[in-house]
Amino acid sequence: MRLNIYKTFLVLIVMAMASACQKDLLETVPDDRLSAESFWKTERDAVLAVNAVYPNCLDAGDRLFMFDAFTDIGHTNSFFSANAQVEQNVFDASNSVIATLWTELYQGIASANFVLDNLDKIPTADQALINRVRGEAKALRAYQYIKLATRFGDVPLVTKVLSIDEGKALERTSIDTIWDFIDDELSEAADLLPVSYAPADLGRVTKGAAFALQARANLYAGRYQAAADAAEKVIDLGVYQIYPEYGTLFSYSAEGNSEVILDRQYVKSVLPNNIFGTMAPYGQLGRDGANTYVPTKALADMYTMANGKEIAEASSGFDATMPYDNRDPRLRFTLYVPGDIMPNGQVFNSLPNSGTADAVGGTFFATTTGFTLRKYVNSEDAANPTNNGINVILIRYAEVVLTYAEARIELGLIDETTVNAINEVRQRGDVNLPAIALGTSQTELRDIVRRERAVELAFEGLRLNDIRRWGIGEQVIPGAVGGIDYVEEGEVKTYVVPSFQKQFNPSRDYLWPIPYTERVLSPNLSQNPNW
C-alpha cells in the first residue's frame, strides 16, 4: 500500500481534471479540487479517500524521535531551535512546534471526518469494502485523539466536517469523554477491520492495530482492566509474536516481521525519509547531514547489566571504566557508544578531544551527548543518507505485551501470566536477560515494567506519555543533560551538555498549552492551567 496511499492526492487531481474535460465547455468546473458531484461515486473513490487520511495520521520517524527528545532519555541537538525550547519547558502558547502539532492532529481528524461524512453516498454492492474503509477512518481518527488527549488534555471533539462558523464556536470536551469516544471508536473499528491484508494493501490498519491502539489508550487513561482486555484481544489473535532479534528489528531485512502491528511505509527514491541523514553519527555523514536528536546518559543508565542487575547494585559487576560492556544487549542495539563500528566500517569515537568528526563538543553538527541513535540506521542508506526507504514502526507487539503486564500489575493480578509477559520481551533471542521470578512484589514489578518500557521502546515516541501518566516529570526531567561516561587521565568522567538546563513545573508542564492562534480563531477554547 506504500504507493497506493501516498500517490492518492495526485490520483484525485488527475481524476478531477479528467472529469472536467468531459463536461460542456460552457460549464465551469474547478480544476484544482474535487467536487461532491464528481466524487463519491464508486468503491474506488472510498479507497482513494481513506488513502489520503494515512499520511495525515501516521507519524513520521522524526516526530517519534522529537517526542523522546522532550523527555529525560533524549536531547535536541540544536540549542537554538523551537524544539529545544519545548525540551527545556521554557516556551509559551505561541511556540511554533506546539501550534504545528495541534494543526497536524486536527488535519488528520478533518480528513477522516471527510471520509466518514461521505461514505454512505456511494452506491455499492461491496458493503464489506465500505465497512473496511469506515473502520480504517475510525481507527485513524481515534489515533489522532489519543495524541491530542495525552498532550493537551481536554480538547474539542470534532466528529464531522465543520463550517467556518462551527469552527469559531469550538469548545473543549472533557478528557474522560474523549477517552470514552476513543474506546468506542476503536471497538467499532475492530469489528469492521480484517486481521490481515493481501500484499498490495500492507500498511493499512488491521483489527490487531485497532485493539492495540485501544490497549494503549486505556493504559494512558488509567483504565487498567480495559487496557488488559484490549491487549489480550491482540494476543488472542495469534498473528503476532516477539521477533527473535532486537538487533535487526529496525532493519530492512526485518520489515513487516511478526512483531510489527502498524508502521508508516516508505519507498527509497519514491517516498523516502531522512532518518539516516539526521540520526546517524556525524562522522558517518560528513556534509550529508547532522545529528538532530540524540540519546542521553539517563537512557544509557537504565539498561541493566547482562545479569539483569541494575548498574548501581553493589553486586552487579558494573565497571565504570568500561561502562557499556556486559550490559543489556539492547543498549548497543539502540545506541552508538564509543568504540562501536559505524556503517562505513570506521570506529565511532565521540570522546572529547578525540579529533574525530564525532568528538563531543567539537562541532554544532555532531552529537552533543556523545551518543547517537542506532535504531533505523542501516548500512543500505550510507551511500545516500537523505534517501531512505526504511519503514517506521508505530505499534509493535512488544508494547502490547508490556501494556498487558503493566495493566495487570496495577490491578494487583500478580501471577505467572503477568510475569511471563515481561519475560517474553526481555528474553527474546538476542537479549536473553534473566527471567523475572514469580513472587516478585507489585512495587518491584512496577519498577521493572516501567524500565522495560523505557529501554525496549526507546526513541519510539512513547516516553513522554509514560512520564506524564506516571506523574514522574519533576523527578526525571529537570537538570543538566548528561552524556557519555569516559576515562581521562585515570579518572572516570561524565560529559555534560554545556549551557543547557531542562525544567519541569508540575503545576503546568504535564499538559501543553492550547496554541495561542487556535484561541484567537476559536475564542471559546479555554487554556490549560498556568499557561
Side-chain angles (χ1 to χ4, degrees):
M1 192 193 64
R2 297 178 180 183
L3 298 183
N4 290 346
I5 286 181
Y6 297 107
K7 290 169 65 178
T8 290
F9 288 117
L10 177 60
V11 172
L12 294 182
I13 291 171
V14 171
M15 290 173 61
M17 293 175 67
S19 174
C21 290
Q22 295 171 3
K23 294 180 179 294
D24 190 279
L25 292 177
L26 295 178
E27 295 182 26
T28 301
V29 179
D31 61 5
D32 62 346
R33 73 205 69 163
L34 289 170
S35 68
E37 290 75 23
S38 62
F39 201 66
W40 303 112
K41 300 297 184 184
T42 68
E43 291 92 345
R44 177 172 171 75
D45 291 346
V47 173
L48 289 173
V50 80
N51 284 355
V53 181
Y54 279 84
N56 287 328
C57 295
L58 300 188
D59 291 309
D62 64 334
R63 280 285 185 264
L64 304 185
F65 307 148
M66 179 186 73
F67 287 122
D68 275 2
F70 295 158
T71 74
D72 55 334
I73 69 170
H75 174 56
T76 305
N77 218 44
S78 174
F79 287 11
F80 309 108
S81 68
N83 288 339
Q85 294 176 355
V86 177
E87 179 188 345
Q88 292 176 287
N89 287 309
V90 292
F91 66 100
D92 59 25
S94 63
N95 180 274
S96 61
V97 176
I98 303 303
T100 298
L101 292 171
W102 176 283
T103 299
E104 290 176 346
L105 290 170
Y106 275 106
Q107 284 175 341
I109 289 168
S111 62
N113 286 342
F114 180 63
V115 174
L116 294 168
D117 282 359
N118 289 284
L119 269 182
D120 291 333
K121 295 177 181 178
I122 298 175
T124 181
D126 192 351
Q127 192 58 47
L129 176 61
I130 298 302
N131 287 342
R132 191 203 82 190
V133 169
R134 193 186 313 277
E136 291 177 75
K138 281 179 170 287
L140 291 169
R141 182 172 66 179
Y143 190 15
Q144 297 296 85
Y145 273 112
I146 293 172
K147 302 170 198 174
L148 280 164
T150 53
R151 296 168 195 173
F152 298 100
D154 300 349
V155 292
L157 180 58
V158 181
T159 59
K160 66 173 186 176
V161 176
L162 299 178
S163 68
I164 293 176
D165 287 341
E166 287 172 326
K168 290 179 179 179
L170 282 177
E171 297 180 354
R172 298 171 72 184
T173 303
S174 74
I175 193 168
D176 285 339
T177 302
I178 299 293
W179 289 129
D180 290 343
F181 172 78
I182 291 168
D183 190 62
D184 290 343
E185 284 287 281
L186 290 170
S187 290
E188 293 175 18
D191 288 341
L192 298 171
L193 292 168
V195 173
S196 62
Y197 292 92
D201 283 316
L202 292 180
R204 294 189 185 278
V205 181
T206 60
K207 186 184 295 290
F211 285 142
L213 285 170
Q214 190 175 42
R216 180 186 289 184
N218 281 296
L219 187 71
Y220 289 170
R223 302 176 178 185
Y224 297 118
Q225 188 61 61
D229 290 345
E232 190 168 22
K233 290 177 182 177
V234 180
I235 295 168
D236 290 346
L237 288 175
V239 298
Y240 306 106
Q241 58 186 354
I242 298 296
Y243 188 68
E245 296 182 0
Y246 194 91
T248 60
L249 180 58
F250 305 91
S251 68
Y252 284 96
S253 64
E255 284 189 335
N257 70 74
S258 59
E259 189 166 332
V260 177
I261 298 177
L262 181 66
D263 59 5
R264 179 164 180 155
Q265 303 203 346
Y266 291 92
V267 182
K268 190 186 293 281
S269 300
V270 177
L271 184 75
N273 61 53
N274 188 26
I275 290 175
F276 195 100
T278 57
M279 303 302 291
Y282 182 59
Q284 167 76 58
L285 296 168
R287 295 181 179 180
D288 293 320
N291 295 144
T292 303
Y293 306 106
V294 292
T296 66
K297 175 179 169 61
L299 174 60
D301 286 354
M302 289 183 195
Y303 293 91
T304 66
M305 300 298 292
N307 59 19
K309 295 184 178 183
E310 297 182 48
I311 62 174
E313 291 185 54
S315 60
S316 70
F318 175 71
D319 183 349
T321 66
M322 297 183 290
Y324 310 117
D325 290 354
N326 302 315
R327 302 287 293 276
D328 176 342
R330 289 174 293 186
L331 188 156
R332 284 188 125 122
F333 292 150
T334 302
L335 316 179
Y336 276 107
V337 302
D340 285 346
I341 304 301
M342 298 186 291
N344 61 6
Q346 297 179 6
V347 175
F348 175 68
N349 185 355
S350 58
L351 298 178
N353 304 315
S354 65
T356 69
D358 292 304
V360 65
T363 74
F364 288 111
F365 307 107
T367 170
T368 52
T369 64
F371 300 109
T372 63
L373 188 69
R374 196 166 197 152
K375 280 183 178 178
Y376 294 114
V377 174
N378 293 291
S379 59
E380 292 91 332
D381 295 322
N384 194 342
T386 62
N387 182 13
N388 314 156
I390 188 69
N391 295 342
V392 175
I393 303 172
L394 301 175
I395 312 173
R396 56 186 177 94
Y397 188 58
E399 180 200 344
V400 173
V401 173
L402 291 175
T403 292
Y404 179 71
E406 182 181 351
R408 289 178 62 83
I409 291 167
E410 296 303 327
L411 291 167
L413 301 176
I414 313 298
D415 58 15
E416 189 174 6
T417 301
T418 304
V419 173
N420 285 348
I422 302 174
N423 287 334
E424 185 178 2
V425 174
R426 60 191 274 121
Q427 292 195 297
R428 75 167 81 223
D430 63 353
V431 176
N432 198 29
L433 293 179
I436 303 300
L438 186 63
T440 305
S441 72
Q442 182 185 43
T443 299
E444 291 173 314
L445 283 174
R446 181 181 291 122
D447 290 341
I448 290 169
V449 79
R450 289 184 179 187
R451 184 171 60 250
E452 279 298 312
R453 283 186 65 90
V455 300
E456 172 71 23
L457 305 172
F459 275 73
E460 296 180 44
L462 302 178
R463 178 67 174 171
L464 182 62
N465 292 337
D466 285 346
I467 286 174
R468 288 180 169 186
R469 66 190 178 86
W470 294 332
I472 61 172
E474 58 268 42
Q475 301 171 33
V476 301
I477 291 180
V481 177
I484 54 170
D485 293 330
Y486 61 100
V487 177
E488 184 175 86
E489 297 179 352
E491 180 182 355
V492 176
K493 296 183 177 181
T494 296
Y495 188 82
V496 176
V497 177
S499 306
F500 195 94
Q501 290 281 325
K502 297 190 182 189
Q503 303 177 23
F504 192 91
N505 179 353
S507 68
R508 188 195 73 167
D509 294 334
Y510 278 108
L511 292 174
W512 282 337
I514 307 302
Y516 170 78
T517 51
E518 298 301 324
R519 298 186 68 220
V520 171
L521 294 170
S522 303
N524 292 337
L525 293 178
S526 59
Q527 185 56 278
N528 280 323
N530 299 315
W531 288 101

